[in-house]
Amino acid sequence: MKKSKNNKIPSLANWLITKLLDEEYLEEFLGDLQEMYEERRQEKNTLYARFFYWIDAFHLLFGFTSFKIFKSQHTNWMLKNMFKIAWRNALRQKQYTALNLLGLTLGIATCFVIGLYVHHESTFDRFYENADRIYRVNQPNIWGDWEAISSATGPNVATALKADIPEFEEVTRIANMGYQTVKVVDEKERMMSFQEDAFFLAEENFLNVFSFEVLEGNAEAALKDPSSLIMTRETSERYFGFDDPLGQLVEVRQWDGTWRTFTVGAIIANHPDRSHIQFDMLGSLSSMDDQMKMHGWKWIWTIFSTYVLVQEGTDIAALTDKIQAVPPKWAPPTTEQIFNQTFDEFTAGYSWKLYLQPLKDIYLSAAPDAHNFGPTGNPQFVKLFIAIGLLVLLLSSINFMNLSTARSSNRAKEVGIRKVMGSRRKSLVGQFVFESTLYVFVSTILGLGIVELSLPMFNSLSGTQLELLPYFGNYAFVGLVISFILLLGILAGSYPAFYLSAFNPIQTLKGKVSAGFKGAAVRNGLVVFQFTISIVLIICAVFVQKQLAFTSTIDVGFAKENVLQIHNIEQFGFETEAIKNQLATYPEIVKTGKSFGLPPNIWSGDRYKDAAAGNEVLQFRNVRTEADYLDLLGVEFLDGRNFDEKSPADRLKVILNEEAVRQLGWDVEESPIGKKVALASGDEDEFEVIGVVKDFNFNSLKQKIDPLIIIHQQNNTVWDYGAGLSFYALRLNPGVVKSAGELQKLLDKIKEDLKKIDPAVPFEYSFMDQQFEASFRFEQQIATILNVFTLMAFIIACLGLFGLAAFSAEQRIKELGIRKVLGASVSQLVLLFSTEFTKLILVSVLLASPIAWFLVSEWLKDFAYQTPIDLWVFVAAASGALVISFLTISYQSLSAAYKNPVDTLKSE
C-alpha cells in the first residue's frame, strides 16, 4: 500500500546518515531505524515516530555510542528518560523555553551569516589548481613613496627572474589595458560598440600558471597569436548571442584612433566571483611587441603584474632572499637611460626589494592597495565581523546560562530527589548538558532556516552572493555544524550543569535553597557583560554612520553637484571644439569644460622639483584641463590667474594647489607666480607657475589632499598616465533640468548628436557627486551590516534581561504583595523592582564608554577627515539603552505590582 505523505520517514535524516556512515553499516542501520519507526508509529502516532527517528539519527550522528544504543535496553531507557525530563521541563516553563530558543536561534543565525560572509571573503583564488604555489611579485612604489608596496612591476622583472631564478617553474606577466572601445560588425553591416573595462593582455604561458576551463577553441594558441584573443562565455554571448564565436572578428580602438582587428580564438568559462583577477577579454602580450621593443623603460614601465609558479618544496624564505639580487643587476641601464641617474641615485638610499605575495593572500591583504585586477577585500572588516559573530554567540550562551541558573529553585527539588534516589552528580551533569545540547540543536535547525530566508536581504545589503544550500552537500560543513552544536551545547550548559548538580539534597528537600539568587553575582556580572558589549556596538555603529554623514557634507572645495560628465571624448579626435560648441547651444547646459581626469579619481602623477634651486624630487599628481573646466568647478584662486586659451604661451604654464606650493618650499603669501617647476625625469622641461588655487579634493575624501599640478590641455610634454582619456564636464542648469524625465531627454539628445559625429564611440556618462558617493559605497554597505548585527546583539541582550526580570518578578511576588498591603503604591513598586536592573545597565554604560571611545578613535585614524567624537553620542547611547532596558522590564514590573496581594499571599 502506498504510504501517505505524512507517514514518510524523514528523508533529510536518511540523507545525513548516508553521507556520514560507511556503506557496510548503512543497510543494517537504516533497517533498524525504519523498524523502530514503524513500531513507534503503530504504538503512538506518526508525529511521535518521526520525532524519535530524528532523535535516533541525531544520536547516531553525534557518535555518543555505537550502534548498540538501538539494542541496549538500558541505554535506550536512559536516552528516553533524558528526553522525557527535558521535554517536561520545557513544557513546564514555556516562557523560558521560548526565550532560550529565541535567543539561541537569533545568535546562531547571526553567527552563521557572519560565518558565510567570512568564508566568502577568506577563500578567494582557492580554485586554481596550483594555487598553493602561485605568488605575485611585488616591489616598492618606485614612482612615489618607496616605503609603500606596489603590485605593479616593469616588464623586465619577469625577464630577469626567468633568467636568474631556476626555482620558478613559470614566470608570467599580465597587464590591464584599462578602458577599451571594442566593436563588431555583423553580416548585415550593423555595428555594435562596447566600452570594455576588463581587457587584459597576458603572456603565452599565462594558462600554465592559472587554470581556466576552456570551453571552445585553443586557448594556448590564442595567447601566442598577437591577432587573437580569448573571451569569457558571458562576453561572447554579449557580442555574438548564441552564434559560434570562434573565428569571429572584433576590432579594438587604438590610442591614435585606428582600429586593430582580433580573432576570437577561444572561449573560457565565466570567472568564479571569488578571484582577484577578473577579465572579460584576454589578448596576447605579443600584440605589444613593438612597444616592448622600442620602449626603453624596461624596469619603470609599471603597468604589469608578475606572477610566478614556484617548484614544489621550494624554501620561500630562501627564495625571497635570492631574488633581491635581481634589481641591482638588471635595472641600472634603465635608470641611466631614462633619468640619467645611477641605480643608487635613483633609489636615493631606499631598497628596491622584490616581495613574493602568496596568491591566496592577495584579496584580503592590506598591501598593496593599488593596481589590482579585480575586487579587493578589507581584512579589518573581516576581523570585525568575526569578533561580532563570536560576541553575539557569547551573548546567546550567556542568556542560556543566566536563565538556566535563575530557574535553579524550580529544579532544586528535582535534583534533590534524583540524588536521594541514587543519581550521581555525573548523570545530573549529563542531563543538563544534554538539555542544553538539545536546545542548541533545535536552535541551529531554526537558525539555518532563518539564514536561508534572510540571505537575499543580506546579499542586497552587502553586495555579495552568499548561498547556504550548496554547503549541505559538503562533509566539512556538516561536520562543522555537528561540532558547533556539541561545542555550544557544552559551553552553554556546563555552568548551569555544575551549578545545579551541586545542590545539597537535604537542603533542597527542606526548601532551603534560595530562590535562584545564590548565583546572583555571577548572573549580574554576565548581564553587565552583555550590555557592555551591546552598548559598545551601538556607540560604534552610531559613529560609523556619523562619519559617513560627515564625509558627505564636507566642502570639497568646488561645486560637485549638477555636473554631468561625458566620457570617451578622446575617441572623437584631438579637435573637439565642435562638440563643445554644439553643447553650448543647449539651454540645459550652463558651462562646458574639458579635462583629462575625473574627480575623485585623479591618480596620474610624475616627479617634479623646484627648477631654480631644488634637487629634492617630489611626487605630484597632475591633470590636464582647459580654463573653462576650472571655471566650471568654481575652484578658488588664491594667487595669479587661470589659463588664457587665446594665449599660445600659456600652453607650457601651470597652476599649482596650495599643497604643491608648500611641498616646493614656497610661501603662498609671498606669491610663487613666475617661479618655475621642472619635471625630474626625462628632459626636465620647465613650467612657469601662473596661478595658485585653494586646496580642493580631487580624490576620495578618505585621503588627504595631495600636491597637484594643473597642466594646460595642450601641453603634451608631460606624459599622460591617464592614457589620453578625456571628458567633457557639463554644468547643468537646475532651472531647466527639473526632473528625471527632462534629464533623460537631455541625455538622449547628447547621445544622438555624438552618434552623428562617430557612431562607433560608446556613449557613457557619469555624475560627479555620485562618483564621490560611490567612493564610500563599501563603507556604507559595511555600516548597514554592522547596524543589523548590532541590533541583533541588543535584542539578544534584551531577551536575557526580559527573562531575568520575569524570573525576578516571580520570585519576589510575595515581597511585593506585602509591600502593597503595607501601603506601597504601584509606582513605588515599579521603581523598586526596576532599580535592581537599572543599576546593572548603568554599570554597563560606565564600562562601555571608554572601550567604545578607544575603538572609535582608532578607527577614525584611517580617515583624512574625521567626525568629532561628541559626548552626546555616548549620552544618547546610554539613555537609549536605559530606556529600552526599562521598557523591557516594565511589563514584568507592572504585572507584578498590579497583582492582587490576596492572591499572592494566600499560600502563606
Side-chain angles (χ1 to χ4, degrees):
M1 190 175 79
K2 185 179 180 180
K3 290 182 180 178
S4 71
K5 184 177 180 181
N6 291 333
N7 286 343
K8 285 184 176 178
I9 291 172
S11 56
L12 180 58
N14 278 353
W15 179 82
L16 286 173
I17 292 171
T18 56
K19 293 293 182 186
L20 294 175
L21 286 184
D22 290 338
E23 290 187 3
E24 59 179 309
Y25 303 119
L26 195 59
E27 185 177 351
E28 183 183 1
F29 285 9
L30 288 177
D32 286 353
L33 282 171
Q34 290 169 11
E35 186 179 325
M36 288 191 293
Y37 171 83
E38 287 300 328
E39 289 177 0
R40 285 169 179 150
R41 193 175 67 80
Q42 291 172 11
E43 289 176 2
K44 301 283 184 177
N45 52 54
T46 302
L47 182 62
Y48 176 85
R50 287 170 65 85
F51 174 74
F52 275 97
Y53 194 95
W54 266 106
I55 297 299
D56 289 340
F58 178 69
H59 199 183
L60 180 63
L61 294 175
F62 268 29
F64 288 157
T65 68
S66 65
F67 190 62
K68 292 178 181 176
I69 63 170
F70 302 105
K71 297 179 179 177
S72 166
Q73 291 300 318
H74 177 67
T75 307
N76 200 21
W77 176 84
M78 285 187 64
L79 182 64
K80 286 184 178 178
N81 199 41
M82 292 169 78
F83 271 114
K84 282 181 182 176
I85 294 172
W87 181 250
R88 286 169 183 167
N89 276 306
L91 290 180
R92 190 178 299 129
Q93 296 182 316
K94 296 185 182 67
Q95 184 183 34
Y96 298 107
T97 302
L99 286 173
N100 265 334
L101 285 177
L102 183 58
L104 279 173
T105 300
L106 290 178
I108 290 170
T110 304
C111 190
F112 270 102
V113 171
I114 291 176
L116 288 173
Y117 177 78
V118 170
H119 180 260
H120 175 273
E121 293 293 290
S122 57
T123 54
F124 267 65
D125 295 310
R126 299 293 201 273
F127 63 92
Y128 295 113
E129 291 177 5
N130 297 315
D132 290 335
R133 296 193 287 134
I134 300 175
Y135 292 79
R136 184 171 65 187
V137 181
N138 299 325
Q139 67 176 23
N141 177 17
I142 62 174
W143 287 100
D145 183 2
W146 276 79
E147 295 180 354
I149 305 300
S150 170
S151 62
T153 57
N156 272 26
V157 170
T159 307
L161 292 177
K162 286 177 185 176
D164 285 4
I165 313 296
E167 288 86 346
F168 292 141
E169 193 171 307
E170 298 281 356
V171 181
T172 192
R173 295 168 290 189
I174 184 171
N176 184 351
M177 302 310 292
Y179 299 106
Q180 297 286 320
T181 298
V182 181
K183 72 175 182 181
V184 293
V185 180
D186 64 14
E187 296 174 348
K188 297 180 180 179
E189 298 299 319
R190 292 176 300 190
M191 184 192 70
M192 290 190 302
S193 62
F194 299 91
Q195 186 77 40
E196 288 299 337
D197 301 337
F199 188 99
F200 294 0
L201 297 181
E203 209 160 358
E204 61 183 63
N205 65 340
F206 180 74
L207 298 181
N208 295 344
V209 179
F210 295 95
S211 51
F212 291 96
E213 182 184 359
V214 180
L215 302 177
E216 299 178 58
N218 188 332
E220 291 184 5
L223 286 185
K224 291 179 182 175
D225 185 351
S227 62
S228 185
L229 56 77
I230 298 171
M231 280 187 174
T232 63
R233 169 62 77 197
E234 183 179 6
T235 307
S236 75
E237 291 177 354
R238 179 154 49 91
Y239 278 83
F240 309 110
F242 294 102
D243 294 341
D244 182 7
L246 292 183
Q248 298 273 13
L249 302 179
V250 297
E251 295 180 74
V252 180
R253 190 162 197 151
Q254 306 298 291
W255 65 274
D256 58 359
T258 60
W259 294 89
R260 180 165 185 168
T261 303
F262 290 87
T263 304
V264 179
I267 303 298
I268 62 172
N270 296 330
H271 286 291
D273 292 335
R274 286 185 291 177
S275 174
H276 84 286
I277 297 178
Q278 296 288 336
F279 59 83
D280 295 327
M281 293 186 180
L282 189 65
S284 171
L285 199 61
S286 61
S287 64
M288 296 178 66
D289 268 356
D290 293 342
Q291 293 165 273
M292 302 276 278
K293 289 175 182 173
M294 72 181 187
H295 228 292
W297 302 33
K298 301 294 186 184
W299 280 80
I300 59 174
W301 186 19
T302 51
I303 70 165
F304 301 89
S305 279
T306 304
Y307 293 87
V308 295
L309 178 65
V310 300
Q311 294 183 357
E312 292 185 7
T314 301
D315 183 341
I316 299 301
L319 182 61
T320 302
D321 290 338
K322 186 175 182 179
I323 62 177
Q324 303 315 320
V326 170
K329 175 182 176 183
W330 293 89
T334 298
T335 62
E336 289 164 5
Q337 178 182 350
I338 302 300
F339 301 115
N340 195 25
Q341 291 178 326
T342 64
F343 182 80
D344 290 338
E345 288 171 341
F346 179 75
T347 56
Y350 292 105
S351 176
W352 190 336
K353 294 186 65 177
L354 299 178
Y355 303 88
L356 295 178
Q357 184 177 30
L359 178 69
K360 294 178 180 179
D361 294 349
I362 291 176
Y363 175 76
L364 270 187
S365 174
D369 60 358
H371 198 76
N372 291 296
F373 296 127
T376 54
N378 188 319
Q380 290 183 335
F381 283 125
V382 171
K383 292 175 185 172
L384 172 67
F385 284 144
I386 291 174
I388 291 176
L390 293 176
L391 287 174
V392 169
L393 200 59
L394 187 58
L395 295 183
S396 301
S397 302
I398 288 173
N399 268 2
F400 186 87
M401 290 187 230
N402 262 352
L403 290 175
S404 298
T405 54
R407 289 183 296 150
S408 59
S409 65
N410 295 329
R411 303 197 66 176
K413 287 185 180 177
E414 173 197 333
V415 171
I417 291 171
R418 293 182 64 181
K419 281 192 171 181
V420 169
M421 296 294 291
S423 292
R424 295 181 179 180
R425 189 179 182 188
K426 180 180 177 182
S427 65
L428 291 172
V429 169
Q431 172 69 37
F432 290 120
V433 171
F434 176 79
E435 288 184 23
S436 67
T437 306
L438 194 59
Y439 272 97
V440 174
F441 172 74
V442 175
S443 299
T444 301
I445 300 299
L446 296 174
L448 288 173
I450 291 175
V451 171
E452 178 60 25
L453 293 175
S454 61
L455 274 184
M457 183 187 72
F458 181 84
N459 287 334
S460 175
L461 293 175
S462 63
T464 56
Q465 294 297 322
L466 305 184
E467 293 181 288
L468 176 63
L469 291 180
Y471 287 96
F472 282 100
N474 185 309
Y475 293 146
F477 177 77
V478 174
L480 182 67
V481 171
I482 293 172
S483 302
F484 172 83
I485 292 171
L486 286 174
L487 184 64
L488 187 59
I490 294 171
L491 173 69
S494 56
Y495 173 69
F498 286 101
Y499 174 75
L500 295 172
S501 63
F503 286 162
N504 185 316
I506 298 175
Q507 298 296 321
T508 55
L509 293 176
K510 285 182 178 179
K512 291 186 177 180
V513 173
S514 60
F517 279 87
K518 197 169 182 178
V522 176
R523 286 199 301 279
N524 290 342
L526 293 176
V527 168
V528 169
F529 179 74
Q530 280 186 306
F531 274 87
T532 299
I533 292 173
S534 300
I535 294 169
V536 167
L537 289 176
I538 290 172
I539 293 173
C540 291
V542 171
F543 272 107
V544 170
Q545 293 293 345
K546 193 167 176 284
Q547 172 66 16
L548 291 175
F550 175 73
T551 51
S552 67
T553 58
I554 290 175
D555 180 6
V556 297
F558 60 89
K560 65 180 186 300
E561 292 76 19
N562 295 316
V563 177
L564 171 65
Q565 302 167 137
I566 307 297
H567 299 217
N568 302 325
I569 296 301
E570 77 285 351
Q571 297 191 29
F572 291 100
F574 295 104
E575 297 298 329
T576 55
E577 280 299 307
I579 296 175
K580 184 177 180 181
N581 294 335
Q582 175 66 22
L583 295 173
T585 64
Y586 293 1
E588 298 93 339
I589 299 172
V590 176
K591 200 170 191 60
T592 302
K594 188 178 181 182
S595 71
F596 288 73
L598 286 182
N601 296 301
I602 294 179
W603 302 108
S604 65
D606 212 324
R607 294 147 45 99
Y608 293 88
K609 62 182 182 181
D610 182 345
N615 290 320
E616 183 184 6
V617 175
L618 303 167
Q619 180 70 25
F620 286 178
R621 303 291 179 192
N622 54 27
V623 61
R624 286 196 289 160
T625 74
E626 65 176 352
D628 283 346
Y629 186 76
L630 297 178
D631 289 341
L632 179 145
L633 294 183
V635 295
E636 181 182 349
F637 274 82
L638 300 177
D639 196 7
R641 61 176 176 83
N642 199 346
F643 297 119
D644 182 354
E645 296 293 342
K646 297 179 181 177
S647 170
D650 273 9
R651 188 174 65 85
L652 295 179
K653 294 178 180 176
V654 296
I655 298 168
L656 305 179
N657 71 347
E658 290 177 274
E659 182 61 24
V661 172
R662 276 192 289 270
Q663 291 206 14
L664 284 165
W666 301 341
D667 190 340
V668 178
E669 299 298 328
E670 296 178 359
S671 185
I673 305 303
K675 294 185 177 180
K676 292 184 178 180
V677 294
L679 275 169
S681 55
D683 298 329
E684 299 198 355
D685 296 302
E686 296 183 0
F687 308 111
E688 179 185 342
V689 178
I690 61 168
V692 177
V693 295
K694 188 175 181 180
D695 282 342
F696 64 95
N697 292 92
F698 53 88
N699 278 332
S700 169
L701 293 172
K702 298 174 190 173
Q703 301 170 297
K704 292 181 179 177
I705 297 175
D706 288 329
L708 175 70
I709 291 186
I710 302 171
I711 303 165
H712 193 279
Q713 63 161 330
Q714 295 181 356
N715 183 346
N716 55 8
T717 61
V718 178
W719 177 257
D720 189 349
Y721 298 94
L725 302 180
S726 62
F727 312 84
Y728 265 130
L730 315 177
R731 170 73 64 192
L732 302 184
N733 186 343
V736 179
V737 184
K738 299 178 181 176
S739 65
E742 289 169 336
L743 176 61
Q744 187 58 52
K745 289 180 181 176
L746 172 63
L747 293 171
D748 292 341
K749 193 161 58 174
I750 296 173
K751 179 180 180 181
E752 194 62 30
D753 284 346
L754 294 180
K755 284 289 180 187
K756 292 176 183 174
I757 300 173
D758 188 343
V761 179
F763 176 68
E764 296 208 356
Y765 64 92
S766 61
F767 292 92
M768 188 177 287
D769 53 352
Q770 292 178 358
Q771 295 290 97
F772 274 90
E773 289 178 13
S775 65
F776 281 92
R777 188 167 296 152
F778 181 72
E779 282 76 7
Q780 287 169 344
Q781 289 175 339
I782 294 298
T784 305
I785 297 171
L786 179 62
N787 289 344
V788 173
F789 291 152
T790 301
L791 179 64
M792 296 298 290
F794 196 69
I795 288 175
I796 292 169
C798 286
L799 283 174
L801 188 63
F802 182 84
L804 285 181
F807 180 79
S808 178
E810 182 183 321
Q811 298 301 317
R812 300 180 68 182
I813 195 69
K814 290 187 174 63
E815 175 198 339
L816 296 175
I818 293 171
R819 288 179 181 274
K820 199 167 184 180
V821 169
L822 293 176
S825 65
V826 170
S827 59
Q828 288 174 323
L829 293 179
V830 170
L831 182 63
L832 173 69
F833 186 82
S834 305
T835 302
E836 174 189 339
F837 295 100
T838 304
K839 288 178 182 175
L840 301 180
I841 308 304
L842 283 172
V843 172
S844 301
V845 170
L846 293 176
L847 292 174
S849 296
I851 297 172
W853 180 88
F854 173 77
L855 294 175
V856 169
S857 58
E858 287 296 307
W859 177 69
L860 287 176
K861 287 179 180 177
D862 292 337
F863 292 86
Y865 304 94
Q866 302 171 359
T867 185
I869 303 180
D870 294 322
L871 180 62
W872 70 263
V873 175
F874 294 85
V875 175
S879 303
L882 282 170
V883 169
I884 294 174
S885 304
F886 182 78
L887 293 175
T888 302
I889 59 178
S890 61
Y891 170 76
Q892 303 296 346
S893 306
L894 289 170
S895 176
Y898 276 114
K899 281 189 182 300
N900 189 337
V902 175
D903 296 332
T904 57
L905 297 174
K906 63 183 179 183
S907 62
E908 297 295 322

